[in-house]
Amino acid sequence: MPIRYKFDILTALKDKGYNTNRIRKENLLSEGVLQSLRENKYISLANISRICELLECQPGDIIEYVEGDDQ
């Protein structure tokens, strides 16, 4: 996967006060998105945007392109 996350997004959300129970209760992200993040799978740009809003960051702060990383 040539695009990858720079850090564990779920841990960063938790550090900002967004544990998975709060995320589910407030409908901030779907369970499918949470599972994709756990498995380091792709999520939509709409969800990247939502995460950026929650973490107060830019998309480039959480994802990066790694040339030759086709795993």
Side-chain angles (χ1 to χ4, degrees):
M1 170 162 119
I3 301 289
R4 69 176 178 193
Y5 302 110
K6 291 182 176 181
F7 53 86
D8 185 334
I9 294 172
L10 294 176
T11 299
L13 287 167
K14 186 176 179 181
D15 291 345
K16 279 280 213 176
Y18 297 102
N19 62 30
T20 53
N21 288 331
R22 179 179 176 191
I23 292 170
R24 285 186 198 104
K25 183 178 179 180
E26 296 180 17
N27 292 320
L28 301 174
L29 298 168
S30 72
E31 183 59 41
V33 171
L34 293 174
Q35 189 60 38
S36 291
L37 290 171
R38 284 186 199 101
E39 297 172 2
N40 285 323
K41 292 184 178 179
Y42 291 123
I43 59 173
S44 72
L45 286 176
N47 287 307
I48 294 286
S49 176
R50 182 66 166 173
I51 291 167
C52 287
E53 179 184 342
L54 297 172
L55 294 178
E56 301 173 357
C57 67
Q58 295 294 314
D61 296 334
I62 52 179
I63 58 175
E64 67 182 342
Y65 173 78
V66 180
E67 190 171 343
D69 189 6
D70 295 329
Q71 296 180 9

